[in-house]
Amino acid sequence: MNENFKLYISKRPRRLRKSQAILNLCTETRVSVQDLILPVFVKEGLNGADEIKSMPKIYRHTIDSLLRYCQKALEVGINAIAPFPMVDAIDKSLDAREAHNPMSLANRAISAVKKHFPEMLVIADIALDPYTSHGHDGILDESGEWILNDTTVGILSDMAVSAAEAGADIVAPSDMMDGRVGAIREALDENNLTDTAIMAYSAKYASAFYGPFRDAIGSAPKAKGKTKKYLDKRGYQLNPANANEAIKEALLDEDEGADIVMVKPAMAYLDIIAKVKANTTLPVAAYQVSGEYSMIWASAQKGWLDYQRTRDEALVSIKRAGADMILTYFANDFIETNK
Ligand code: PBG
C-alpha cells in the first residue's frame, strides 16, 4: 500500500457524499405519501379480513373492514385507493354481467368509501376478469380462444358508467382492449359524468409478476397437479419484449381522452416508464404489482435481502424513471417507516 499515492484531479464527486446532510441536499428524487395509491382487496361478508398467503400484510377486506382500513390509511396521509373485488363464483359468468351491476361488490365498496370518506380518491378498476367464469379480461368467441374486442368494450363502457355513478373519481381500464378509452369517455360524457377521469392502463404487459394478485382475487385457474398454470393473456396484454408498442398504446390512449397513462408492472419496465414519460404530456402512473411486492417480502423473510432498503430502493427507482404516481402495496409500510 502506498499511502502517498496522489491523484491530481479537480473533480471529486465523493465530496457530495461526505455526510448525510449533504446527501440530503443533493437528493434528486424523493418518494412521498402524496405519490402513492394503495390497491385494496374487497370480498363479500361482514366483519372480516383474511391475509393473502402470497402477499404478507395484505388483506381481503369485507366492506366494513375496508372502511376501518381506509380510516387508517387517511390517518397516515394516503389519499387514494384502488379497490379490487374478489367476486364469489356465483357472480361469475360467460357474459360478465355482474361487472356493470350497480349493486356489485365493487360498486357497493366504492359507494361506502365515498360516503364515509369523501376526501378519499377512489380509482375503480375496469376489467372483466373478476367477473368471467374463465378469468379472462373479456368475452370469448365461439372457438374459446380469442377475446371479442368490441363486445368486451361495450360491457366495459357500461361498467365504467356504473362505477362512476357509484362514486368513483377515476375509472381505470386495465383490460387492454382496443378503443376502450374512447368508448368509455363517450359513455361517461353521455351520462353527464364529464368530471370522472380516466387512468388508462396503457402499457400493461403480459407479465408473470401478476401471480399473487390472481390468487388474491381468485381469478387464477385451478391448480393443475402441483404446478399452477396462469392464464395466458398475450392476446391482449403487451409483449414484454416490446417498447415501441408501449408508446403507441400510450399515445392512442392520450388521443382517445385518457387523463393519466399507466405502465405496469414497474420495476422490470423502468425503461418503458421513462419512454412513456418522454412522449406524453399526461401524468404517468406506474403499478408496482403483486409479484414485485411478494418477491421482496419472500427474500426478506429468508434473510436474503433487507426488507426496508429493498422496498425503498424499488420505489425510488420507479419515481426516478419518471413515474408521477405509484400504485403500491407497500404504501402503508413505506409511510410508517419514512415519516
Ligand atoms: C386484471 C388485473 C391484473 C392486475 C390488476 N388488474 C392482473 C391480470 O392481468 O391478470 C394485477 C395487479 C397485480 O399483480 O398487483 N385486470
Side-chain angles (χ1 to χ4, degrees):
M1 183 169 68
N2 176 2
E3 278 165 26
N4 295 322
F5 187 84
K6 240 172 140 42
L7 286 173
Y8 294 91
I9 52 174
S10 61
K11 309 221 163 133
R12 291 184 182 265
R14 288 186 57 211
R15 285 177 197 129
L16 299 185
R17 300 176 206 138
K18 222 176 156 200
S19 67
Q20 192 57 51
I22 198 148
L23 279 167
N24 288 349
L25 289 177
C26 298
T27 296
E28 296 175 36
T29 310
R30 281 193 177 84
V31 177
S32 108
V33 60
Q34 298 180 23
D35 303 319
L36 305 182
I37 299 163
L38 175 67
V40 295
F41 296 105
V42 57
K43 62 176 183 179
E44 295 284 1
L46 260 181
N47 222 350
D50 65 306
E51 194 174 17
I52 297 158
K53 257 210 196 104
S54 51
M55 300 180 75
K57 294 177 84 169
I58 303 297
Y59 296 82
R60 298 184 195 89
H61 295 275
T62 53
I63 293 180
D64 57 324
S65 159
L66 177 65
L67 292 175
R68 290 191 290 275
Y69 192 60
C70 285
Q71 168 97 50
K72 281 196 210 130
L74 284 167
E75 279 163 16
V76 296
I78 296 170
N79 288 302
I81 59 164
F84 292 94
M86 186 187 146
V87 174
D88 285 348
I90 190 166
D91 289 325
K92 295 181 191 251
S93 59
L94 284 173
D95 64 5
R97 69 189 91 93
E98 181 66 9
H100 48 91
N101 176 356
M103 288 308 287
S104 70
L105 169 64
N107 287 339
R108 277 179 282 127
I110 293 167
S111 318
V113 172
K114 289 306 289 187
K115 182 172 152 225
H116 288 83
F117 310 108
E119 71 277 32
M120 179 66 95
L121 190 86
V122 177
I123 302 167
D125 186 60
I126 305 299
L128 304 187
D129 54 304
Y131 305 99
T132 53
S133 20
H134 40 70
H136 274 295
D137 292 38
I139 305 301
L140 284 175
D141 71 2
E142 278 163 16
S143 74
E145 302 276 326
W146 185 244
I147 303 292
L148 291 164
N149 192 87
D150 301 11
T151 311
T152 301
V153 171
I155 303 171
L156 292 171
S157 305
D158 293 343
M159 182 180 181
V161 169
S162 81
E165 281 174 345
D169 302 280
I170 299 182
V171 291
S174 68
D175 56 293
M176 292 303 285
M177 296 303 128
D178 295 333
R180 91 275 208 216
V181 171
I184 289 173
R185 184 70 273 159
E186 217 178 290
L188 290 172
D189 292 351
E190 271 169 16
N191 286 276
N192 295 320
L193 295 159
T194 48
D195 291 334
T196 306
I198 300 177
M199 175 189 279
Y201 284 67
S202 300
K204 176 170 180 179
Y205 283 88
S207 171
F209 287 99
Y210 307 145
F213 174 95
R214 293 187 189 171
D215 291 335
I217 70 159
S219 69
K222 314 267 169 307
K224 287 194 183 119
K226 273 204 183 115
T227 48
K228 231 179 250 167
K229 250 191 115 230
Y230 287 103
L231 273 186
D232 183 351
K233 298 189 175 183
R234 285 177 298 178
Y236 40 107
Q237 299 178 345
L238 289 181
N239 176 353
N242 293 356
N244 286 333
E245 212 180 351
I247 313 296
K248 177 170 84 180
E249 286 282 7
L251 295 180
L252 273 171
D253 288 350
E254 179 169 1
D255 248 22
E256 290 176 31
D259 299 283
I260 299 169
V261 289
M262 193 201 292
V263 175
K264 174 186 178 185
M267 208 159 75
Y269 297 87
L270 296 179
D271 58 326
I272 308 298
I273 296 174
K275 283 187 177 141
V276 167
K277 182 67 187 166
N279 280 281
T280 178
T281 54
L282 298 182
V284 175
Y287 198 144
Q288 183 188 48
V289 301
S290 55
E292 299 179 71
Y293 177 85
S294 304
M295 146 172 112
I296 289 177
W297 261 107
S299 32
Q301 283 174 338
K302 278 188 173 285
W304 291 348
L305 288 176
D306 180 283
Y307 168 72
Q308 202 167 309
R309 289 187 56 203
T310 39
R311 176 197 67 196
D312 293 2
E313 187 177 329
L315 285 168
V316 85
S317 74
I318 296 166
K319 183 97 188 276
R320 190 196 62 232
D324 297 290
M325 63 197 92
I326 307 172
L327 289 100
T328 174
Y329 302 97
F330 286 124
N332 276 322
D333 249 29
F334 173 82
I335 289 145
E336 294 290 343
T337 41
N338 287 286
K339 271 188 243 170

